[in-house]
């Protein structure tokens, strides 16, 4: 379809962002370019961006393959400021979100099923992914503006004053929502959430809202009251063997959000026959090898799950709006990102940092 | 229901068996007692008993908790020689089998669903399990006679001349049949069988008979022709990275029968999205810890499965009779059991040793 939309060159624009020029460099202001919106593109003025642990791993070069300059951020909410001629789902002024994906091959089996996160040809991450745009890799939401194909833009229907707290739903929310749905958390099911951090606190809220009997596992007695307030029906201190043993063989599903290496058997032991524990965090060094006998004697499984597809992310946002669910957040300025990282490393955050992107103005 | 059946004391009888008096003692002739058949019991003259790797682990004390004297054997076929007054399913002369289970609580959820192998209160194994019978633990099929509750006795409908080769179906057969059914091996599915030994050769035959596209994985080029003859559509030498890579991301299900510690990631890498690899062997020392990222990027699972319930074991026997499936066996005498163990340790068996129990006569 032809349009009269101006050429990309004319509209390409410089955007203020925060990122790093190298693994050992601090987060600082960087001027980046955004492409002019193409026919199917949505240009978004970013209001808030959540800080995910993946941001830190990537920008500090802790995972292989970081391309610099690196501008992290994939928990993006904002407002549409321009749309391409073929865009039908969005108009200027709409409140929208962008999560971990900004493109995929759109023709493989997974894309065909709306599971772009498992794109056989590799999805394009919101940052550090391949793109024809300068500088050759995608730059994320630690920036004032982003341009994204409408297929990868989500509608946000939460009240406007909740917008900052909606941002973490785009990664922490969907990462926990998708496996909870896939393994059918709901009424009559006993569901465990291991780790009450950025991901886990969303897992507790979501499993509770889905109607499951929700048990929060934490190593910190200090999180007990919080976990109940988030929606946990029970709270178990996972270091207390006696408490753990009381739940042996009783869980339909356990969502394990802890990336630090730990004893998985302590949790598979709590599954019912045919139960699954799903891991959503990649440990920096391997977990102790899980007991095979522990799986065999109960036909249990250890599985993994990766964020969610676009359709399911929209479903999650709608579910959260309907149930009044947002993330628990602490707002920071763009200048405080490195400080926020340091606090995140000490688990000193309840439960997600969100950047106020208005603080990026030069 | 009352019967005129004689009291147990009157009919208790001495039976010739083969077993060991201690972990470091050889297998030798042992006289054991079998209980008189109770009202619901079936007394079986054992014709043949397969030799399972578990027999060796147990009798040599390689797993904790072996009780001596130990008489192994849970791949039992024979003929009914007496039945209790309440027995309705069997009559004298019937050809029958007994597998890994001779009792369970029969009131837990798993027992209620016919999954006695996952009995919450612990099933009673055919050997080394708790029993009121002397000497206080069950004694298995390396014996001339056994007495079993009819609920745990299976009908065998194969031709009589195949009886020896039916014996291994009672453990090796059901251990592979159950997960293949549970994870829906069948037409249109690509199924891998890892390891072409006692279990694996049955897995290949069964997956093929179920209609799955069956791929055998072996470390030995020498097993290629055999694997095709067993029913494999393709054979992959698992040590050949190039061959393995050709199958990346293509399997619906992989049944891994190898108990020796090995790199599980080499196989999870071959699974499609949402695929499962099921382990049925407990390694003596842990496998290298599997890659969590390998599970997350594809929503894959590593699971376990334990033998099968009584109803499914009957279904498997009927399926095998219908499809003309038996185990590939080498017959040995009772006096050759230790020798058979040594050969089994060297994988020098195609593919299952079966004891001719007639050789136990004093």
């Amino acid at each position: 379809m032809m349009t009269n939309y101006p050429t990309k060159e004319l509209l390409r624009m410089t955007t203020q962002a925060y990122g790093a020029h190298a693994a050992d460099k601090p987060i600082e202001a960087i001027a980046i370019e955004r492409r002019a919106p193409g026919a199917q593109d949505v240009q978004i003025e970013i209001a808030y961006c959540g800080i995910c642990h993946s941001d830190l791993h990537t920008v500090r070069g802790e995972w292989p393959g970081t391309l610099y300059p690196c501008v992290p951020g994939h928990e993006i909410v904002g407002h549409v400021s321009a749309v391409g001629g073929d865009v039908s789902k969005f108009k200027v002024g709409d409140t929208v979100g962008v999560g971990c994906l900004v493109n995929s091959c759109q023709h493989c089996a997974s894309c065909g099923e709306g599971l772009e996160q498992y794109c056989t040809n590799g999805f394009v991450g919101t940052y550090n992914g391949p793109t024809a745009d300068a500088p050759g890799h995608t730059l994320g939401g630690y920036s004032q503006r982003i341009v994204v194909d409408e297929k990868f833009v989500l509608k946000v229907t939460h009240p406007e004053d909740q917008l900052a707290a909606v941002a973490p739903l785009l990664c922490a929310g969907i990462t926990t929502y998708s496996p909870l749905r896939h393994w059918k958390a709901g009424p009559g099911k006993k569901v465990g959430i291991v780790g009450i951090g950025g991901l886990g606190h969303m897992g507790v809220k979501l499993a509770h809202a889905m109607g499951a009997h929700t048990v929060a596992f934490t190593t910190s007695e200090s999180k007990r009251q919080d976990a109940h307030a988030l929606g946990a029906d029970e709270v178990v201190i996972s270091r207390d063997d006696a408490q753990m043993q009381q739940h042996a063989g009783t869980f339909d599903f356990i969502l394990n959000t802890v990336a630090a290496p730990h004893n998985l058997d302590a949790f598979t032991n709590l599954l019912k026959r045919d139960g699954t524990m799903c891991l959503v965090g990649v440990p920096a060094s391997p977990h102790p090898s899980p007991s095979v006998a522990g799986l065999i004697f109960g036909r249990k499984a250890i599985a993994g799950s990766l964020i969610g597809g676009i359709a399911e992310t929209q479903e999650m946002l709608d579910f959260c709006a309907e149930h009044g669910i947002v993330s628990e957040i602490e707002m920071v300025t763009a200048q405080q990102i490195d400080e926020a990282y340091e606090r995140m490393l000490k688990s000193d955050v309840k439960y997600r940092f969100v950047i106020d992107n208005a603080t990026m103005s030069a």
Side-chain angles (χ1 to χ4, degrees), chain A residues 201-225:
Chain A
H201 94 286
M202 288 309 312
V204 171
K205 287 188 177 205
L206 291 166
H208 173 73
M210 290 174 186
H213 181 83
T214 303
V215 181
F217 293 93
T218 175
T219 55
S220 326
E221 181 62 41
S222 65
K223 288 192 179 171
R224 182 182 293 276
Q225 287 313 312

Side-chain angles (χ1 to χ4, degrees), chain A residues 13-317:
Chain A
M13 63 181 68
T14 299
T15 297
Q16 183 78 337
Y18 273 71
H21 287 287
D24 59 354
K25 290 288 194 295
I27 299 286
E28 59 186 326
I30 299 177
I32 62 171
E33 278 201 346
R34 291 298 188 189
R35 70 172 181 259
Q40 299 173 341
D41 281 339
V42 174
Q43 178 183 281
I44 303 162
E45 301 298 308
I46 302 176
Y48 304 102
C49 183
I51 295 181
C52 174
H53 218 106
S54 302
D55 300 352
L56 184 160
H57 287 304
T58 304
V59 78
R60 293 190 174 177
E62 296 172 0
W63 287 341
T66 302
L67 302 165
Y68 295 92
C70 174
V71 175
H74 56 206
E75 295 182 340
I76 298 168
V77 289
H79 301 96
V80 175
S81 51
V83 295
D86 291 352
V87 169
S88 58
K89 283 165 54 190
F90 302 97
K91 63 181 191 304
V92 171
D94 283 355
T95 305
V96 295
V98 175
C100 303
L101 316 176
V102 291
N103 218 335
S104 69
C105 83
Q106 299 180 43
H107 57 72
C108 73
S110 288
C111 286
E113 293 175 53
L115 297 168
E116 300 88 353
Q117 76 274 34
Y118 301 121
C119 174
T120 306
N121 300 301
F123 66 79
V124 178
T126 301
Y127 57 85
N128 208 49
T131 178
D133 296 354
H137 59 272
T138 53
L139 303 169
Y142 293 9
S143 58
Q144 291 193 293
R145 186 180 299 115
I146 193 166
V147 178
V148 178
D149 186 307
E150 71 165 330
K151 290 194 190 71
F152 292 83
V153 179
L154 292 311
K155 290 180 198 291
V156 173
T157 58
H158 282 76
E160 200 68 12
D161 63 359
Q162 294 184 342
L163 203 50
V166 167
L169 300 182
L170 276 306
C171 172
I174 187 62
T175 296
T176 49
Y177 181 91
S178 183
L180 287 167
R181 280 289 191 221
H182 186 71
W183 279 279
K184 305 190 189 312
K189 297 291 182 71
K190 183 172 175 182
V191 170
I193 308 291
V194 183
I196 309 304
L199 293 174
H201 94 286
M202 288 309 312
V204 171
K205 287 188 177 205
L206 291 166
H208 173 73
M210 290 174 186
H213 181 83
T214 303
V215 181
F217 293 93
T218 175
T219 55
S220 326
E221 181 62 41
S222 65
K223 288 192 179 171
R224 182 182 293 276
Q225 287 313 312
D226 269 21
H228 279 299
L230 292 167
D233 296 291
E234 299 182 68
V235 179
V236 174
I237 306 303
S238 56
R239 287 177 175 158
D240 182 333
D241 291 342
Q243 279 187 49
M244 292 288 277
Q245 198 51 41
Q246 285 174 10
H247 292 267
T250 62
F251 280 85
D252 295 283
F253 179 64
I254 295 176
L255 177 62
N256 189 330
T257 72
V258 175
H262 65 285
N263 173 19
L264 301 178
D265 301 341
F267 297 102
T268 52
N269 183 47
L270 306 189
L271 292 170
K272 281 183 188 168
R273 188 196 77 227
D274 292 319
T276 294
M277 175 163 73
C278 177
L279 310 177
V280 292
V282 176
S285 59
H287 296 297
S289 189
S291 162
V292 173
L295 301 179
I296 286 179
F297 286 85
R299 200 160 55 187
K300 300 173 182 180
I302 296 175
S305 177
L306 179 68
I307 46 177
I310 296 301
E312 193 174 46
T313 304
Q314 187 63 62
E315 176 190 309
M316 176 275 306
L317 284 169

